[in-house]
């Protein structure tokens, strides 16, 4: 293992992806089971996501799912990647994380994003519209204020006030600037556009202002990493997600993950084939040796302090094997820097 990889934390974000022919509840149970496996393998943190009205994702209530994950584990940090702040009142989010931190002290992370619902219908159901994302910086300030007891309303967030729950900003577009000006750690992806990632990281580091939450920039790079016995087996791990993304881009709805062999037999339109092929490229995928080399390059290019792995596929056995192989590459048990956010 390279010295570059040795200096980096490795963590897991699981989006509770549903699978064709399997109930959504199973996806949530799979997430909890994967968290236990990630803890045993020595990963640093385990995050869950927020999606609404999406057939392919069961994780619609991330703080609830985070509570289940934290209850099923003992040492791994648990959090959200992320709670979409424009969908919620900041007071309620502060209360939820205050409860989590009170139940599982010292283990909770608060990853926050600025996206709103995936479709117009979902946004209407949430009582939100696209413009609500423009208020993210103000919503973020209000949320952090509830933990510090600075709300001008005179209301106190219970039990959040006085607690320290590390906040992270999921940086898409303006997110890098907002994270920098707020002095918060930043999570940025995906790996298919390395130039955009590097630009976002440079912008974040250039504009970073120290805060009570972080004294210096902290960069988490997120993306798909697939490891298998052969390069072809690793590529097949990417097939279900690539097809689901292609379907979403051409039909407007994100479906459950199909088996790779079913996808490979399907007849696709030219547009579907274009999106599908694009979805298979740019990720880190291959044998143990190939992935180790690609990770070393990624870390050197970005100087990230942490890699957040977001791999999804239909074959759960192959997914677990991938995470086990990755753990063998990076040896996260003995690989946790002593500086930076928890």
């Amino acid at each position: 293992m390279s010295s570059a990889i040795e200096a980096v934390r490795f963590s897991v974000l699981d989006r509770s992806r549903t699978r064709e022919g399997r109930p959504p509840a199973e996806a949530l149970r799979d997430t909890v089971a994967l968290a236990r496996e990630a803890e045993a393998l020595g990963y640093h943190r385990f995050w869950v996501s927020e999606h609404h009205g999406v057939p392919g994702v069961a994780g619609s209530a991330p703080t609830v799912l985070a509570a289940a994950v934290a209850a099923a584990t003992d040492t791994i940090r648990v959090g959200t990647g992320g709670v979409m702040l424009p969908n919620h009142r900041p007071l309620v989010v502060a209360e939820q994380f205050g409860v989590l931190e009170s139940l599982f002290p010292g283990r909770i992370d608060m990853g926050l994003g600025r996206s709103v619902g995936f479709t117009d219908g979902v946004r209407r159901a949430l009582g939100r519209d696209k413009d609500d994302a423009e208020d993210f910086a103000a919503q973020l300030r209000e949320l952090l204020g509830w933990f510090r007891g600075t709300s001008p309303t005179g209301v106190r967030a219970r039990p959040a006030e006085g607690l320290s729950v590390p906040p992270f900003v999921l940086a898409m577009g303006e997110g890098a600037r907002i994270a920098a000006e707020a002095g918060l750690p930043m999570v940025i992806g995906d790996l298919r556009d390395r130039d955009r990632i590097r630009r976002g990281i440079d912008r974040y580091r250039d504009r970073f202002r120290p805060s009570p939450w972080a004294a210096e920039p902290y960069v988490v790079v997120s993306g798909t990493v697939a490891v298998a016995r052969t390069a072809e087996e690793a590529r097949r791990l990417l097939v279900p997600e690539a097809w689901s993304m292609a379907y979403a881009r051409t039909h407007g709805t994100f479906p459950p993950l199909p088996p790779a062999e079913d996808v490979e037999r399907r007849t696709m339109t030219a547009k579907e084939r274009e999106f599908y092929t694009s979805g298979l490229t740019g990720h880190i995928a291959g044998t143990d040796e190939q992935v180790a080399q690609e990770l070393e390059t990624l870390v050197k290019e970005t100087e990230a302090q942490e890699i957040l792995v977001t791999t999804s596929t239909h074959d759960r056995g192959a997914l677990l094997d991938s995470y086990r192989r990755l753990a063998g590459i990076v040896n996260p048990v003995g690989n946790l820097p002593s500086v930076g956010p928890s």
Side-chain angles (χ1 to χ4, degrees):
M1 181 172 57
S2 77
S3 58
I5 295 177
E6 286 178 348
V8 176
R9 291 165 166 159
F10 281 80
S11 300
V12 176
L13 165 62
D14 190 67
R15 289 175 291 145
S16 303
R17 294 287 276 111
T18 59
R19 295 182 289 163
E20 278 189 4
R22 311 299 300 182
E26 184 176 82
L28 297 172
R29 291 191 292 268
D30 285 343
T31 292
V32 175
L34 180 60
R36 287 195 291 263
E37 184 76 16
E39 179 175 75
L41 291 170
Y43 287 95
H44 181 55
R45 66 181 99 243
F46 189 95
W47 282 4
V48 297
S49 63
E50 175 183 340
H51 296 272
H52 299 282
V54 180
V57 182
S60 56
T63 53
V64 177
L65 185 53
V69 168
T73 54
D74 296 310
T75 57
I76 195 168
R77 296 196 64 85
V78 176
T80 55
V83 164
M84 296 300 137
L85 195 51
N87 292 338
H88 310 279
R89 293 301 308 165
L91 171 60
V92 175
V93 175
E95 291 171 337
Q96 290 172 345
F97 279 97
V99 169
L100 283 170
E101 176 64 21
S102 297
L103 292 172
F104 309 101
R107 293 180 57 204
I108 301 300
D109 299 322
M110 186 168 58
L112 305 162
R114 64 191 294 266
S115 297
V116 289
F118 183 62
T119 65
D120 288 339
V122 170
R123 288 190 287 270
R124 286 195 300 271
L126 291 169
R128 298 292 187 266
D129 58 43
K130 290 182 179 180
D131 292 340
D132 287 308
E134 303 305 315
D135 296 328
F136 179 69
Q139 295 161 351
L140 184 62
R141 286 193 297 272
E142 180 183 343
L143 171 61
L144 299 180
W146 288 116
F147 286 92
R148 305 188 69 192
T150 58
S151 171
T153 66
V155 175
R156 300 297 181 90
R158 308 293 188 192
E161 186 175 319
L163 297 181
S164 180
V165 182
F168 296 73
V169 172
L170 277 62
M172 301 297 289
E174 281 294 286
R177 178 187 62 79
I178 293 170
E181 292 177 356
L184 301 180
M186 177 185 72
V187 183
I188 189 167
D190 65 49
L191 299 179
R192 291 175 295 177
D193 192 342
R194 303 293 178 89
D195 288 339
R196 187 188 68 83
I197 286 178
R198 286 192 291 268
R199 288 195 302 271
I201 291 173
D202 289 344
R203 185 161 55 248
Y204 167 71
R205 289 186 172 130
D206 288 344
R207 299 185 179 185
F208 184 85
R209 301 173 183 172
S211 75
W213 302 97
E216 57 189 22
Y218 189 89
V219 174
V220 183
V221 172
S222 68
T224 295
V225 180
V227 197
R229 184 178 58 87
T230 67
E232 178 57 28
E233 289 175 0
R235 177 192 172 279
R236 293 189 86 243
L237 280 167
L238 307 177
V239 165
E241 183 80 7
W243 164 249
S244 292
M245 185 62 70
Y247 188 92
R249 297 289 297 274
T250 53
H251 293 78
T253 183
F254 203 76
L257 295 173
E261 56 269 23
D262 288 0
V263 174
E264 292 168 340
R265 289 194 296 262
R266 289 180 180 173
T267 300
M268 302 183 196
T269 66
K271 185 58 69 174
E272 287 171 342
R273 177 67 64 180
E274 178 185 344
F275 286 129
Y276 171 67
T277 302
S278 175
L280 290 172
T281 61
H283 307 290
I284 293 179
T287 64
D288 298 50
E289 294 78 11
Q290 291 169 330
V291 167
Q293 292 174 1
E294 289 194 53
L295 285 173
E296 181 175 2
T297 298
L298 175 67
V299 171
K300 288 180 177 178
E301 286 180 350
T302 63
E303 298 182 347
Q305 285 93 342
E306 187 168 343
I307 305 297
L308 182 66
V309 183
T310 63
T311 311
S312 298
T313 195
H314 184 276
D315 187 335
R316 298 296 298 185
L319 180 65
L320 288 173
D321 181 64
S322 178
Y323 275 116
R324 289 168 184 150
R325 287 177 178 273
L326 179 59
I329 294 169
V330 303
N331 187 27
V333 171
N335 187 32
L336 303 183
S338 60
V339 298
S342 299

